[in-house]
Amino acid sequence: MTRRKSDHPIPEKPEPPFPIVTDFCDIVCGFGRGSAELGIPTANVPIEQLPKSVNDLKLGVYFGYAKIKPVEHEVGTVTRSDGRDVRIDYARDLKKDSGDLSILPVVLSVGKNPFYGNDFKTVELHIIHNFKDDFYGAKVKFNILGYIRPELDYTTKEALIEDIHIDITTALKALESRDFSVYQSQLKDQELSSR
Ligand code: ADP
Ligand code: RBF
Ligand code: MG
């Protein structure tokens, strides 16, 4: 496995402040660079809908699990600042049988994307799963179980892409351990008790 100088050692099990678990939050539009430029789409979530403990995290890359929930709503369109139209379909086309609605591994970026020079912080989730369709407007609930590395600047887009691929491998490896994978159950639907 590739270990980088910037990698933080991953402990045997989540250590405080982890696990952090969120409520369902909205999936909103960003600049559309994740899929178009990097080939790595990220579902962007509004920071104000997240627990304060997420806002207190240092800028960097984290891992955990995520679950998408479709929203019943008519399909809509928004126009990005660059003029491109984005279809907001509230995950109506996601399929249960292809695992789209399962509890899935995720790598998260909490940061200002120095490679792109943003002057504001974003929280973005790359869910490690091959979705057939986008799901803007849907909800996502997730947990954060560990820290992988600080956010870095890069001289090339290829170097950023390569590092994100290593982040994905690192996350999947950590989540193989039972001490992390048990936290999948944090995202299970609450069953209504019959008594
Ligand atoms: P934006 O800047 O609008 O977030 P991206 O290029 O990052 O644009 O694409 C994000 C969108 O791609 C998500 O909102 C979601 O609808 C879709 N998507 C498809 N596959 C994934 C995935 N594996 N993880 C996260 N989002 C995905
Ligand atoms: N952007 C950076 O500028 N530096 C980073 O170190 C960085 N690491 C990332 C790690 C992961 C796992 C993900 C999903 C994204 C990362 N990004 C990073 C953010 C990336 O620039 C952003 O997702 C795209 O610009 C699309 O919004
Ligand atoms: Mg994104």
Side-chain angles (χ1 to χ4, degrees):
M1 233 188 72
T2 321
R3 235 197 99 70
R4 301 158 295 185
K5 260 199 233 132
S6 57
D7 279 327
H8 184 84
I10 294 176
E12 279 177 16
K13 55 179 180 17
E15 285 180 358
F18 310 117
I20 294 173
V21 62
T22 73
D23 283 329
F24 277 103
C25 38
D26 295 318
I27 297 173
V28 297
C29 253
F31 297 113
R33 289 190 294 233
S35 29
E37 284 198 32
L38 305 177
I40 305 166
T42 57
N44 295 29
V45 295
I47 291 182
E48 59 281 4
Q49 292 181 10
L50 300 173
K52 184 176 173 300
S53 49
V54 178
N55 225 330
D56 291 342
L57 292 173
K58 56 187 162 196
L59 304 188
V61 181
Y62 297 83
F63 68 93
Y65 289 103
K67 186 169 79 172
I68 304 292
K69 182 166 81 174
V71 169
E72 279 204 28
H73 199 288
E74 277 168 47
V75 175
T77 315
V78 297
T79 306
R80 278 197 226 272
S81 47
D82 64 3
R84 277 184 296 160
D85 279 346
V86 184
R87 186 178 136 101
I88 312 294
D89 76 358
Y90 303 92
R92 62 185 289 152
D93 296 328
L94 293 194
K95 299 274 180 301
K96 224 178 184 163
D97 53 10
S98 43
D100 294 346
L101 306 177
S102 307
I103 299 166
L104 297 164
V106 66
V107 277
L108 292 93
S109 155
V110 177
K112 294 189 170 177
N113 304 356
F115 182 67
Y116 289 101
N118 290 355
D119 57 4
F120 52 89
K121 183 161 92 175
T122 56
V123 175
E124 310 177 27
L125 293 86
H126 173 68
I127 303 172
I128 309 172
H129 176 76
N130 189 9
F131 293 94
K132 297 287 172 294
D133 284 291
D134 288 352
F135 40 89
Y136 286 108
K139 302 267 184 190
V140 64
K141 181 179 171 93
F142 59 98
N143 61 17
I144 308 181
L145 303 177
Y147 171 66
I148 299 178
R149 64 169 174 93
E151 177 171 58
L152 302 172
D153 200 355
Y154 292 87
T155 47
T156 66
K157 187 175 79 178
E158 288 68 31
L160 169 61
I161 294 171
E162 191 186 336
D163 255 3
I164 298 179
H165 285 295
I166 298 174
D167 297 329
I168 293 170
T169 314
T170 305
L172 290 175
K173 178 88 195 140
L175 294 172
E176 275 175 15
S177 142
R178 198 179 143 67
D179 289 320
F180 282 101
S181 65
V182 286
Y183 289 93
Q184 263 185 307
S185 63
Q186 268 192 325
L187 304 183
K188 280 203 179 126
D189 292 329
Q190 308 269 312
E191 308 249 335
L192 288 177
S193 162
S194 52
R195 298 173 203 224

